[in-house]
Protein backbone atom coordinates (compact mmCIF):
# COMPACT_ATOMS: atom_id res chain seq x y z
CA UNK A 1 0.00 0.00 0.00
CA UNK A 2 2.81 2.41 0.89
CA UNK A 3 4.48 1.78 -2.47
CA UNK A 4 1.27 2.80 -4.25
CA UNK A 5 0.98 5.91 -2.11
CA UNK A 6 4.64 6.79 -2.77
CA UNK A 7 3.95 6.98 -6.51
CA UNK A 8 0.93 9.28 -6.21
CA UNK A 9 2.83 12.61 -6.01
CA UNK A 10 4.56 11.81 -9.30
CA UNK A 11 1.27 10.76 -10.89
CA UNK A 12 -0.45 13.97 -9.79
CA UNK A 13 2.27 16.08 -11.42
CA UNK A 14 2.31 14.09 -14.66
CA UNK A 15 -1.47 13.82 -15.03
CA UNK A 16 -2.05 17.45 -14.12
CA UNK A 17 0.59 18.91 -16.43
CA UNK A 18 0.78 16.46 -19.34
CA UNK A 19 -2.71 14.91 -19.52
CA UNK A 20 -5.05 17.59 -18.16
CA UNK A 21 -2.79 20.47 -19.33
CA UNK A 22 -3.55 22.55 -16.26
CA UNK A 23 -1.34 25.53 -15.32
CA UNK A 24 1.87 24.17 -13.83
CA UNK A 25 1.92 26.53 -10.86
CA UNK A 26 -1.55 25.34 -9.79
CA UNK A 27 -0.73 21.64 -10.28
CA UNK A 28 2.53 22.11 -8.37
CA UNK A 29 0.81 23.71 -5.37
CA UNK A 30 -1.82 20.97 -5.25
CA UNK A 31 0.81 18.22 -5.53
CA UNK A 32 2.94 19.87 -2.82
CA UNK A 33 0.02 20.19 -0.38
CA UNK A 34 -0.97 16.57 -1.00
CA UNK A 35 2.61 15.30 -0.53
CA UNK A 36 3.04 17.33 2.67
CA UNK A 37 -0.07 15.73 4.17
CA UNK A 38 0.89 12.29 2.84
CA UNK A 39 4.33 12.42 4.48
CA UNK A 40 2.83 13.28 7.88
CA UNK A 41 -0.06 10.81 7.80
CA UNK A 42 0.90 7.73 5.77
CA UNK A 43 4.67 7.92 6.28
CA UNK A 44 4.53 9.11 9.91
CA UNK A 45 6.99 11.98 9.56
CA UNK A 46 7.23 14.81 12.06
CA UNK A 47 5.63 18.10 11.00
CA UNK A 48 8.72 20.07 12.06
CA UNK A 49 10.99 17.83 9.95
CA UNK A 50 8.80 18.18 6.86
CA UNK A 51 8.55 21.93 7.47
CA UNK A 52 12.34 22.23 7.63
CA UNK A 53 12.86 20.28 4.42
CA UNK A 54 10.21 22.44 2.73
CA UNK A 55 12.01 25.60 3.82
CA UNK A 56 15.30 24.25 2.45
CA UNK A 57 13.62 23.43 -0.85
CA UNK A 58 12.13 26.91 -1.22
CA UNK A 59 15.57 28.46 -0.71
CA UNK A 60 17.02 26.18 -3.41
CA UNK A 61 14.18 27.06 -5.77
CA UNK A 62 14.76 30.79 -5.25
CA UNK A 63 18.42 30.28 -6.12
CA UNK A 64 17.44 28.64 -9.41
CA UNK A 65 14.93 31.45 -9.93
CA UNK A 66 17.79 33.93 -9.54
CA UNK A 67 19.54 32.14 -12.41
CA UNK A 68 16.43 32.18 -14.60
CA UNK A 69 16.00 35.88 -13.85
CA UNK A 70 19.49 36.47 -15.24
CA UNK A 71 18.59 34.60 -18.43
CA UNK A 72 15.44 36.75 -18.73
CA UNK A 73 17.43 39.96 -18.29
CA UNK A 74 20.01 38.87 -20.87
CA UNK A 75 17.31 38.18 -23.45
CA UNK A 76 15.72 41.55 -22.74
CA UNK A 77 19.08 43.27 -23.25
CA UNK A 78 19.77 41.44 -26.51
CA UNK A 79 16.37 42.50 -27.82
CA UNK A 80 16.58 46.14 -26.73
CA UNK A 81 20.12 46.58 -28.07
CA UNK A 82 19.30 44.85 -31.41
CA UNK A 83 22.25 42.57 -30.66
CA UNK A 84 20.06 39.55 -31.32
CA UNK A 85 19.39 40.89 -34.80
CA UNK A 86 23.11 40.89 -35.52
CA UNK A 87 23.40 37.32 -34.20
CA UNK A 88 20.57 36.24 -36.50
CA UNK A 89 22.42 37.73 -39.46
CA UNK A 90 25.75 36.14 -38.48
CA UNK A 91 24.42 32.63 -37.77
CA UNK A 92 22.15 32.85 -40.81
CA UNK A 93 25.19 33.63 -42.95
CA UNK A 94 27.05 30.59 -41.52
CA UNK A 95 24.09 28.25 -42.06
CA UNK A 96 20.37 28.72 -42.62
CA UNK A 97 19.63 25.08 -41.86
CA UNK A 98 17.58 24.93 -38.66
CA UNK A 99 18.74 21.35 -38.03
CA UNK A 100 22.38 22.36 -38.04
CA UNK A 101 21.64 25.44 -35.94
CA UNK A 102 19.88 23.28 -33.33
CA UNK A 103 22.71 20.73 -33.11
CA UNK A 104 25.47 23.36 -33.07
CA UNK A 105 23.89 25.55 -30.41
CA UNK A 106 21.81 23.21 -28.24
CA UNK A 107 24.14 20.19 -28.31
CA UNK A 108 27.72 21.30 -29.01
CA UNK A 109 27.68 24.69 -27.28
CA UNK A 110 25.29 23.35 -24.65
CA UNK A 111 27.76 20.60 -23.71
CA UNK A 112 30.47 23.20 -23.09
CA UNK A 113 28.22 25.43 -20.97
CA UNK A 114 27.00 22.45 -18.93
CA UNK A 115 30.60 21.52 -18.26
CA UNK A 116 31.39 25.03 -17.08
CA UNK A 117 28.27 25.59 -14.98
CA UNK A 118 26.01 22.59 -14.51
CA UNK A 119 22.60 23.02 -12.91
CA UNK A 120 20.73 23.03 -16.24
CA UNK A 121 22.11 26.46 -17.16
CA UNK A 122 22.61 25.62 -20.89
CA UNK A 123 18.88 25.33 -21.52
CA UNK A 124 18.11 28.60 -19.72
CA UNK A 125 20.87 30.42 -21.63
CA UNK A 126 20.59 28.84 -25.07
CA UNK A 127 16.83 28.35 -25.51
CA UNK A 128 16.35 32.15 -25.75
CA UNK A 129 19.28 32.16 -28.19
CA UNK A 130 17.42 29.74 -30.47
CA UNK A 131 14.24 31.76 -30.00
CA UNK A 132 16.11 34.83 -31.18
CA UNK A 133 17.17 32.96 -34.31
CA UNK A 134 13.53 32.42 -35.19
CA UNK A 135 12.84 28.98 -33.69
CA UNK A 136 9.36 28.28 -32.40
CA UNK A 137 9.43 28.47 -28.58
CA UNK A 138 8.32 24.83 -28.16
CA UNK A 139 11.10 23.61 -30.47
CA UNK A 140 13.70 25.81 -28.77
CA UNK A 141 12.76 24.50 -25.33
CA UNK A 142 12.57 20.84 -26.36
CA UNK A 143 15.84 20.97 -28.35
CA UNK A 144 17.79 22.36 -25.39
CA UNK A 145 16.24 19.93 -22.90
CA UNK A 146 16.90 16.89 -25.09
CA UNK A 147 20.47 17.93 -25.83
CA UNK A 148 21.05 18.43 -22.12
CA UNK A 149 20.37 14.71 -21.59
CA UNK A 150 24.02 13.68 -21.84
CA UNK A 151 26.32 16.25 -20.27
CA UNK A 152 24.94 16.65 -16.69
CA UNK A 153 27.01 13.68 -15.44
CA UNK A 154 30.12 15.86 -15.76
CA UNK A 155 28.35 19.21 -15.39
CA UNK A 156 29.92 22.00 -13.35
CA UNK A 157 33.42 20.57 -13.78
CA UNK A 158 32.39 17.05 -12.84
CA UNK A 159 30.54 17.83 -9.59
CA UNK A 160 27.63 15.35 -10.06
CA UNK A 161 30.09 12.47 -10.38
CA UNK A 162 32.89 13.64 -8.06
CA UNK A 163 30.63 14.88 -5.25
CA UNK A 164 27.49 12.91 -6.09
CA UNK A 165 29.31 9.59 -5.82
CA UNK A 166 31.53 10.63 -2.95
CA UNK A 167 29.62 8.32 -0.63
CA UNK A 168 30.75 5.18 -2.46
CA UNK A 169 34.41 5.96 -3.19
CA UNK A 170 35.44 3.84 -0.22
CA UNK A 171 34.07 0.83 -2.13
CA UNK A 172 35.00 1.72 -5.74
CA UNK A 173 37.69 4.00 -7.15
CA UNK A 174 36.49 7.42 -8.29
CA UNK A 175 38.68 7.18 -11.40
CA UNK A 176 36.85 3.99 -12.39
CA UNK A 177 33.47 5.66 -11.87
CA UNK A 178 34.54 8.59 -14.05
CA UNK A 179 35.94 6.30 -16.75
CA UNK A 180 32.82 4.11 -16.93
CA UNK A 181 30.54 7.15 -16.94
CA UNK A 182 32.52 8.40 -19.94
CA UNK A 183 31.95 5.06 -21.68
CA UNK A 184 28.20 5.50 -21.31
CA UNK A 185 28.27 9.12 -22.45
CA UNK A 186 30.44 8.43 -25.50
CA UNK A 187 27.60 6.26 -26.81
CA UNK A 188 24.99 8.82 -25.79
CA UNK A 189 26.81 11.42 -27.88
CA UNK A 190 26.48 9.19 -30.94
CA UNK A 191 22.69 9.01 -30.62
CA UNK A 192 21.32 12.16 -28.95
CA UNK A 193 21.67 14.67 -31.84
CA UNK A 194 19.96 12.26 -34.27
CA UNK A 195 17.24 11.45 -31.71
CA UNK A 196 16.64 15.16 -31.16
CA UNK A 197 16.19 15.74 -34.90
CA UNK A 198 13.97 12.66 -35.22
CA UNK A 199 11.67 13.72 -32.39
CA UNK A 200 11.45 17.41 -33.26
CA UNK A 201 11.64 17.45 -37.06
CA UNK A 202 10.67 13.92 -38.14
CA UNK A 203 12.44 11.12 -40.04
CA UNK A 204 12.96 13.21 -43.17
CA UNK A 205 15.13 15.64 -41.21
CA UNK A 206 17.95 13.09 -41.07
CA UNK A 207 18.29 13.11 -44.86
CA UNK A 208 21.46 14.93 -45.86
CA UNK A 209 22.57 15.24 -42.22
CA UNK A 210 24.45 11.97 -41.77
CA UNK A 211 27.83 13.35 -42.82
CA UNK A 212 27.59 16.31 -40.46
CA UNK A 213 26.27 14.18 -37.61
CA UNK A 214 29.00 11.59 -38.13
CA UNK A 215 31.70 14.27 -38.07
CA UNK A 216 30.63 15.88 -34.81
CA UNK A 217 29.39 12.75 -33.02
CA UNK A 218 32.49 10.65 -33.70
CA UNK A 219 34.92 13.41 -32.73
CA UNK A 220 32.94 14.40 -29.63
CA UNK A 221 32.53 10.75 -28.61
CA UNK A 222 36.26 10.16 -28.95
CA UNK A 223 36.95 13.33 -26.97
CA UNK A 224 34.60 12.23 -24.18
CA UNK A 225 36.27 8.81 -23.96
CA UNK A 226 39.83 10.14 -23.92
CA UNK A 227 39.26 12.95 -21.41
CA UNK A 228 37.11 10.95 -18.99
CA UNK A 229 39.32 7.86 -19.08
CA UNK A 230 42.75 9.49 -19.09
CA UNK A 231 42.37 13.01 -17.64
CA UNK A 232 39.32 13.26 -15.39
CA UNK A 233 35.76 14.46 -14.95
CA UNK A 234 36.48 18.16 -14.55
CA UNK A 235 37.21 18.94 -18.22
CA UNK A 236 35.26 16.19 -20.00
CA UNK A 237 32.21 18.26 -20.99
CA UNK A 238 34.07 21.47 -21.73
CA UNK A 239 36.68 19.88 -24.00
CA UNK A 240 34.03 17.77 -25.74
CA UNK A 241 31.81 20.82 -26.32
CA UNK A 242 34.68 22.85 -27.77
CA UNK A 243 35.59 19.97 -30.10
CA UNK A 244 31.97 19.83 -31.28
CA UNK A 245 31.80 23.56 -32.01
CA UNK A 246 35.13 23.59 -33.89
CA UNK A 247 34.32 20.51 -35.98
CA UNK A 248 30.84 21.91 -36.74
CA UNK A 249 32.19 25.21 -38.07
CA UNK A 250 34.91 23.49 -40.12
CA UNK A 251 32.42 21.01 -41.60
CA UNK A 252 29.91 23.73 -42.47
CA UNK A 253 32.59 25.91 -44.09
CA UNK A 254 34.51 23.18 -45.93
CA UNK A 255 31.87 20.56 -46.81
CA UNK A 256 28.51 22.05 -45.90
CA UNK A 257 25.06 20.53 -45.50
CA UNK A 258 22.87 20.50 -48.59
CA UNK A 259 20.05 23.00 -48.20
CA UNK A 260 16.53 21.64 -47.94
CA UNK A 261 13.70 24.11 -48.27
CA UNK A 262 11.68 22.47 -45.52
CA UNK A 263 14.41 23.07 -42.94
CA UNK A 264 15.64 26.45 -44.07
CA UNK A 265 15.39 29.14 -41.41
CA UNK A 266 13.18 31.67 -43.15
CA UNK A 267 13.70 34.39 -40.57
CA UNK A 268 14.40 37.55 -42.54
CA UNK A 269 17.99 38.78 -42.35
CA UNK A 270 16.92 42.19 -43.62
CA UNK A 271 16.67 43.56 -40.12
CA UNK A 272 17.93 46.71 -38.48
CA UNK A 273 20.93 46.65 -36.18
CA UNK A 274 23.71 49.10 -35.43
CA UNK A 275 25.66 46.61 -33.32
CA UNK A 276 28.82 44.99 -34.66
CA UNK A 277 29.19 41.21 -34.71
CA UNK A 278 31.79 41.23 -31.93
CA UNK A 279 29.64 43.41 -29.67
CA UNK A 280 26.53 41.32 -30.37
CA UNK A 281 28.27 38.12 -29.33
CA UNK A 282 30.04 39.79 -26.38
CA UNK A 283 27.52 38.60 -23.73
CA UNK A 284 27.99 34.98 -24.78
CA UNK A 285 31.76 35.36 -25.15
CA UNK A 286 31.86 36.77 -21.61
CA UNK A 287 29.80 33.84 -20.34
CA UNK A 288 32.13 31.35 -22.03
CA UNK A 289 35.12 33.05 -20.38
CA UNK A 290 33.77 33.95 -16.95
CA UNK A 291 31.80 30.79 -16.11
CA UNK A 292 34.76 28.37 -16.30
CA UNK A 293 37.12 31.05 -14.91
CA UNK A 294 35.01 31.45 -11.77
CA UNK A 295 34.39 27.71 -11.47
CA UNK A 296 38.11 26.92 -11.41
CA UNK A 297 39.20 29.97 -9.42
CA UNK A 298 37.33 29.15 -6.23
CA UNK A 299 37.01 25.97 -4.15
CA UNK A 300 33.73 24.12 -4.52
CA UNK A 301 32.90 24.79 -0.87
CA UNK A 302 32.95 28.54 -1.54
CA UNK A 303 30.77 28.27 -4.64
CA UNK A 304 28.16 26.12 -2.88
CA UNK A 305 28.01 28.17 0.34
CA UNK A 306 24.92 30.03 -0.83
CA UNK A 307 23.70 27.37 -3.26
CA UNK A 308 25.41 26.16 -6.41
CA UNK A 309 23.01 28.01 -8.73
CA UNK A 310 23.74 31.32 -7.00
CA UNK A 311 27.26 31.82 -8.33
CA UNK A 312 26.11 31.00 -11.87
CA UNK A 313 23.29 33.53 -11.52
CA UNK A 314 25.66 36.21 -10.21
CA UNK A 315 27.94 35.71 -13.22
CA UNK A 316 24.98 36.00 -15.62
CA UNK A 317 23.73 39.21 -13.99
CA UNK A 318 27.28 40.62 -14.05
CA UNK A 319 27.51 39.77 -17.74
CA UNK A 320 24.20 41.54 -18.36
CA UNK A 321 25.58 44.68 -16.71
CA UNK A 322 28.94 44.62 -18.54
CA UNK A 323 27.24 43.82 -21.83
CA UNK A 324 24.81 46.71 -21.43
CA UNK A 325 27.84 49.03 -21.38
CA UNK A 326 29.48 47.31 -24.34
CA UNK A 327 26.26 47.45 -26.36
CA UNK A 328 25.71 51.12 -25.50
CA UNK A 329 22.59 50.38 -23.45
CA UNK A 330 23.83 51.13 -19.94
CA UNK A 331 20.72 53.16 -19.18
CA UNK A 332 18.56 50.16 -20.08
CA UNK A 333 20.25 47.78 -17.61
CA UNK A 334 17.82 48.29 -14.72
CA UNK A 335 14.84 48.19 -17.06
CA UNK A 336 15.99 44.84 -18.45
CA UNK A 337 16.45 43.46 -14.93
CA UNK A 338 13.04 44.69 -13.78
CA UNK A 339 11.26 43.34 -16.86
CA UNK A 340 12.98 40.01 -16.33
CA UNK A 341 11.87 39.86 -12.70
CA UNK A 342 8.24 40.59 -13.56
CA UNK A 343 8.05 37.47 -15.69
CA UNK A 344 9.16 35.20 -12.84
CA UNK A 345 6.20 35.23 -10.46
CA UNK A 346 4.27 32.11 -11.57
CA UNK A 347 7.39 30.11 -12.56
CA UNK A 348 8.88 30.77 -9.11
CA UNK A 349 5.71 29.55 -7.39
CA UNK A 350 5.86 26.34 -9.43
CA UNK A 351 9.58 25.85 -8.78
CA UNK A 352 9.20 26.35 -5.02
CA UNK A 353 6.32 23.88 -4.86
CA UNK A 354 8.08 21.20 -6.94
CA UNK A 355 11.40 21.57 -5.13
CA UNK A 356 9.52 21.16 -1.85
CA UNK A 357 7.66 18.13 -3.19
CA UNK A 358 10.96 16.52 -4.19
CA UNK A 359 12.56 17.18 -0.80
CA UNK A 360 9.55 15.78 1.04
CA UNK A 361 9.45 12.57 -1.02
CA UNK A 362 13.14 12.06 -0.26
CA UNK A 363 12.85 12.84 3.45
CA UNK A 364 9.78 10.63 3.84
CA UNK A 365 11.51 7.74 2.09
CA UNK A 366 9.07 7.59 -0.82
CA UNK A 367 11.80 7.75 -3.48
CA UNK A 368 13.88 5.06 -1.80
CA UNK A 369 10.82 2.82 -1.49
CA UNK A 370 10.07 3.11 -5.22
CA UNK A 371 13.71 2.52 -6.18
CA UNK A 372 14.12 -0.48 -3.89
CA UNK A 373 10.92 -2.02 -5.25
CA UNK A 374 12.23 -1.68 -8.80
CA UNK A 375 15.54 -3.23 -7.72
CA UNK A 376 13.80 -6.18 -6.06
CA UNK A 377 11.81 -7.00 -9.18
CA UNK A 378 14.74 -6.46 -11.59
CA UNK A 379 17.08 -9.27 -10.46
CA UNK A 380 19.68 -10.02 -13.17
CA UNK A 381 18.55 -7.09 -15.32
CA UNK A 382 19.29 -4.72 -12.44
CA UNK A 383 21.88 -2.69 -14.46
CA UNK A 384 19.10 -1.79 -16.90
CA UNK A 385 16.78 -0.93 -14.02
CA UNK A 386 19.51 1.31 -12.58
CA UNK A 387 19.10 3.58 -15.61
CA UNK A 388 15.41 4.01 -14.79
CA UNK A 389 16.12 4.55 -11.09
CA UNK A 390 18.68 7.24 -11.90
CA UNK A 391 16.23 8.97 -14.22
CA UNK A 392 13.56 8.83 -11.52
CA UNK A 393 15.96 10.47 -9.09
CA UNK A 394 16.70 13.34 -11.47
CA UNK A 395 13.01 13.68 -12.36
CA UNK A 396 12.23 14.39 -8.72
CA UNK A 397 15.37 16.11 -7.42
CA UNK A 398 16.02 18.14 -10.56
CA UNK A 399 19.64 17.13 -10.95
CA UNK A 400 22.07 14.34 -11.71
CA UNK A 401 23.92 15.30 -8.53
CA UNK A 402 20.81 14.79 -6.40
CA UNK A 403 20.06 11.44 -8.00
CA UNK A 404 23.61 10.17 -7.51
CA UNK A 405 23.66 11.22 -3.85
CA UNK A 406 20.32 9.54 -3.29
CA UNK A 407 20.86 6.20 -5.01
CA UNK A 408 24.60 5.50 -5.47
CA UNK A 409 24.96 3.58 -2.16
CA UNK A 410 21.89 1.49 -2.98
CA UNK A 411 23.36 0.48 -6.35
CA UNK A 412 26.57 -0.70 -4.72
CA UNK A 413 24.64 -2.85 -2.24
CA UNK A 414 22.34 -4.28 -4.91
CA UNK A 415 25.21 -5.08 -7.29
CA UNK A 416 27.18 -6.75 -4.49
CA UNK A 417 24.26 -8.95 -3.51
CA UNK A 418 23.69 -9.95 -7.15
CA UNK A 419 27.39 -10.55 -7.79
CA UNK A 420 27.55 -8.12 -10.74
CA UNK A 421 29.81 -5.16 -11.52
CA UNK A 422 29.25 -2.35 -9.02
CA UNK A 423 30.88 0.32 -11.17
CA UNK A 424 28.59 -0.31 -14.13
CA UNK A 425 25.43 -0.29 -11.99
CA UNK A 426 26.31 3.00 -10.30
CA UNK A 427 27.32 4.74 -13.53
CA UNK A 428 24.30 3.39 -15.44
CA UNK A 429 22.18 5.19 -12.87
CA UNK A 430 24.19 8.38 -13.36
CA UNK A 431 23.74 8.18 -17.14
CA UNK A 432 20.00 7.64 -16.56
CA UNK A 433 19.94 10.66 -14.25
CA UNK A 434 21.34 12.80 -17.06
CA UNK A 435 18.47 11.61 -19.26
CA UNK A 436 16.04 12.48 -16.47
CA UNK A 437 16.93 16.14 -17.00
CA UNK A 438 14.98 15.99 -20.28
CA UNK A 439 11.68 15.46 -18.49
CA UNK A 440 12.30 16.94 -15.03
CA UNK A 441 9.39 19.35 -14.33
CA UNK A 442 11.73 21.84 -12.62
CA UNK A 443 13.91 22.07 -15.73
CA UNK A 444 10.94 22.31 -18.08
CA UNK A 445 9.41 25.12 -16.01
CA UNK A 446 12.71 27.04 -15.91
CA UNK A 447 13.27 26.79 -19.67
CA UNK A 448 9.67 27.66 -20.51
CA UNK A 449 9.92 30.67 -18.24
CA UNK A 450 12.90 32.08 -20.15
CA UNK A 451 10.87 31.74 -23.37
CA UNK A 452 7.69 33.19 -21.82
CA UNK A 453 5.82 29.98 -22.64
CA UNK A 454 2.69 29.87 -20.52
CA UNK A 455 0.99 26.59 -19.54
CA UNK A 456 3.04 24.74 -22.16
CA UNK A 457 5.02 22.42 -19.90
CA UNK A 458 2.90 19.44 -20.93
CA UNK A 459 3.41 20.16 -24.63
CA UNK A 460 7.19 20.39 -24.19
CA UNK A 461 7.32 17.24 -22.06
CA UNK A 462 5.41 15.27 -24.72
CA UNK A 463 8.29 16.07 -27.08
CA UNK A 464 11.11 15.39 -24.66
CA UNK A 465 9.63 12.18 -23.24
CA UNK A 466 9.93 10.52 -26.65
CA UNK A 467 13.66 11.21 -26.72
CA UNK A 468 13.91 10.13 -23.09
CA UNK A 469 12.32 6.75 -23.80
CA UNK A 470 14.53 6.08 -26.82
CA UNK A 471 17.73 6.97 -24.98
CA UNK A 472 16.67 5.04 -21.85
CA UNK A 473 16.25 1.88 -23.93
CA UNK A 474 19.69 2.43 -25.49
CA UNK A 475 21.36 2.99 -22.11
CA UNK A 476 19.53 0.04 -20.54
CA UNK A 477 20.79 -2.26 -23.28
CA UNK A 478 24.25 -0.76 -22.96
CA UNK A 479 24.24 -1.34 -19.19
CA UNK A 480 23.52 -5.04 -19.70
CA UNK A 481 26.15 -5.29 -22.45
CA UNK A 482 28.77 -3.63 -20.27
CA UNK A 483 27.88 -5.75 -17.22
CA UNK A 484 27.80 -9.19 -18.77
CA UNK A 485 29.88 -8.95 -21.96
CA UNK A 486 32.32 -6.05 -22.32
CA UNK A 487 33.34 -4.97 -18.80
CA UNK A 488 32.21 -7.60 -16.26
CA UNK A 489 35.42 -7.24 -14.22
CA UNK A 490 36.06 -3.51 -14.73
CA UNK A 491 37.35 -1.78 -11.59
CA UNK A 492 37.18 -4.90 -9.43
Amino acid sequence: MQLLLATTPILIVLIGIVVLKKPTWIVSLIAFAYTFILAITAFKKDVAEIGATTQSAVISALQVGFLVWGAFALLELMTVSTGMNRIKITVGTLTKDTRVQAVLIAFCLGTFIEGATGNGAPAAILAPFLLGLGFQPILAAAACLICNGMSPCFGGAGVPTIAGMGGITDKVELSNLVAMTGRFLMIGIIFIPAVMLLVLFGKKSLKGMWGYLAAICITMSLSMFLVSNFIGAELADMVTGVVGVIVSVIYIKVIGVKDQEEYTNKTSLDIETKVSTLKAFSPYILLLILLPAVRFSFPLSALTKYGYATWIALVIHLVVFISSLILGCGKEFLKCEINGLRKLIKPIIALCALFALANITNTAGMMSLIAQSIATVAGPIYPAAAVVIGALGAFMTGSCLGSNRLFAPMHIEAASSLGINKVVSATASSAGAALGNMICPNNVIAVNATLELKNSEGVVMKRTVKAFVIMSIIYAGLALLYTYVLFPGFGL
Side-chain angles (χ1 to χ4, degrees):
M1 183 61 181
Q2 276 206 321
L3 173 61
L4 181 61
L5 289 173
T7 63
T8 52
I10 300 174
L11 293 175
I12 290 173
V13 172
L14 288 177
I15 293 172
I17 295 175
V18 179
V19 180
L20 300 180
K21 299 179 182 179
K22 297 299 181 182
T24 302
W25 69 278
I26 294 177
V27 174
S28 302
L29 286 174
I30 293 172
F32 159 68
Y34 169 80
T35 307
F36 191 101
I37 296 170
L38 184 67
I40 296 170
T41 55
F43 288 84
K44 309 301 181 183
K45 291 295 176 179
D46 183 68
V47 175
E49 182 182 11
I50 299 301
T53 198
T54 298
Q55 181 181 4
S56 174
V58 169
I59 292 172
S60 296
L62 291 175
Q63 291 162 355
V64 173
F66 188 28
L67 187 156
V68 175
W69 176 17
F72 268 146
L74 179 57
L75 181 59
E76 285 281 330
L77 176 65
M78 293 304 292
T79 302
V80 169
S81 67
T82 71
M84 188 56 74
N85 287 350
R86 175 60 65 188
I87 288 176
K88 289 179 186 178
I89 295 170
T90 304
V91 176
T93 303
L94 177 64
T95 175
K96 293 183 179 180
D97 195 308
T98 54
R99 301 167 300 172
V100 177
Q101 290 175 347
V103 174
L104 171 60
I105 294 168
F107 187 65
C108 301
L109 189 55
T111 297
F112 173 86
I113 293 178
E114 178 67 31
T117 64
N119 216 67
I125 294 171
L126 297 178
F129 193 113
L130 289 176
L131 181 69
L133 290 177
F135 277 65
Q136 295 177 9
I138 298 294
L139 286 180
C144 288
L145 287 166
I146 292 170
C147 288
N148 198 223
M150 178 277 297
S151 50
C153 292
F154 293 142
V159 169
T161 298
I162 296 170
M165 294 189 177
I168 61 174
T169 52
D170 58 330
K171 297 179 177 65
V172 290
E173 290 287 338
L174 178 61
S175 59
N176 289 329
L177 291 168
V178 172
M180 186 55 68
T181 299
R183 296 182 193 197
F184 272 96
L185 301 188
M186 66 181 283
I187 303 301
I189 288 171
I190 297 294
F191 287 97
I192 285 179
V195 169
M196 183 266 289
L197 294 178
L198 179 66
V199 169
L200 299 186
F201 298 97
K203 292 180 182 179
K204 291 183 180 179
S205 67
L206 296 173
K207 183 179 179 181
M209 285 289 288
W210 291 114
Y212 171 68
L213 291 176
I216 64 162
C217 291
I218 291 173
T219 53
M220 289 179 71
S221 180
L222 182 60
S223 169
M224 176 60 72
F225 172 75
L226 292 175
V227 177
S228 62
N229 279 254
F230 299 103
I231 298 177
E234 292 86 350
L235 297 174
D237 276 351
M238 282 186 279
V239 172
T240 300
V242 168
V243 167
V245 171
I246 292 173
V247 172
S248 286
V249 173
I250 293 174
Y251 188 95
I252 293 167
K253 288 288 188 180
V254 177
I255 301 174
V257 176
K258 187 177 180 180
D259 290 337
Q260 293 190 38
E261 182 67 21
E262 186 177 355
Y263 305 110
T264 299
N265 192 328
K266 295 180 175 63
T267 302
S268 174
L269 298 182
D270 185 21
I271 45 183
E272 181 182 351
T273 177
K274 297 178 181 179
V275 179
S276 69
T277 300
L278 182 60
K279 285 185 177 181
F281 278 94
S282 62
Y284 300 99
I285 294 172
L286 286 171
L287 285 172
L288 293 179
I289 294 171
L290 291 178
L291 288 171
V294 172
R295 173 62 188 85
F296 287 106
S297 296
F298 298 92
L300 187 60
S301 58
L303 295 176
T304 57
K305 184 175 182 180
Y306 299 104
Y308 194 82
T310 304
W311 78 265
I312 303 173
L314 286 171
V315 170
I316 295 175
H317 284 281
L318 176 62
V319 165
V320 173
F321 173 69
I322 296 173
S323 299
S324 69
L325 301 178
I326 294 173
L327 293 166
C329 297
K331 294 181 180 179
E332 300 293 328
F333 169 70
L334 285 178
K335 183 179 179 181
C336 291
E337 291 282 349
I338 292 171
N339 287 342
L341 184 59
R342 284 173 178 167
K343 298 171 183 176
L344 269 179
I345 297 175
K346 288 182 179 179
I348 280 294
I349 293 173
L351 284 173
C352 288
L354 285 176
F355 267 66
L357 183 152
N359 270 21
I360 293 171
T361 56
N362 291 339
T363 301
M366 298 181 208
M367 291 300 297
S368 295
L369 179 60
I370 295 171
Q372 288 167 3
S373 299
I374 294 173
T376 301
V377 173
I381 63 167
Y382 181 81
V387 174
V388 178
I389 293 171
L392 177 65
F395 177 86
M396 292 305 296
T397 65
S399 72
C400 185
L401 172 63
S403 181
N404 286 346
R405 279 179 172 169
L406 188 62
F407 294 132
M410 185 190 78
H411 294 311
I412 296 299
E413 291 180 16
S416 297
S417 65
L418 291 168
I420 59 177
N421 193 295
K422 294 177 285 189
V423 176
V424 175
S425 293
T427 53
S429 177
S430 185
L435 297 179
N437 280 270
M438 295 183 185
I439 57 172
C440 170
N442 294 337
N443 294 347
V444 177
I445 291 168
V447 174
N448 281 15
T450 64
L451 299 173
E452 296 186 68
L453 276 171
K454 298 179 180 179
N455 303 329
S456 297
E457 286 79 10
V459 178
V460 173
M461 288 178 72
K462 282 183 178 179
R463 299 289 189 96
T464 61
V465 75
K466 295 176 183 177
F468 168 76
V469 170
I470 294 170
M471 289 307 304
S472 293
I473 292 171
I474 291 171
Y475 275 171
L478 196 62
L480 294 174
L481 183 66
Y482 282 3
T483 298
Y484 296 110
V485 181
L486 297 181
F487 309 113
F490 183 87
L492 301 180

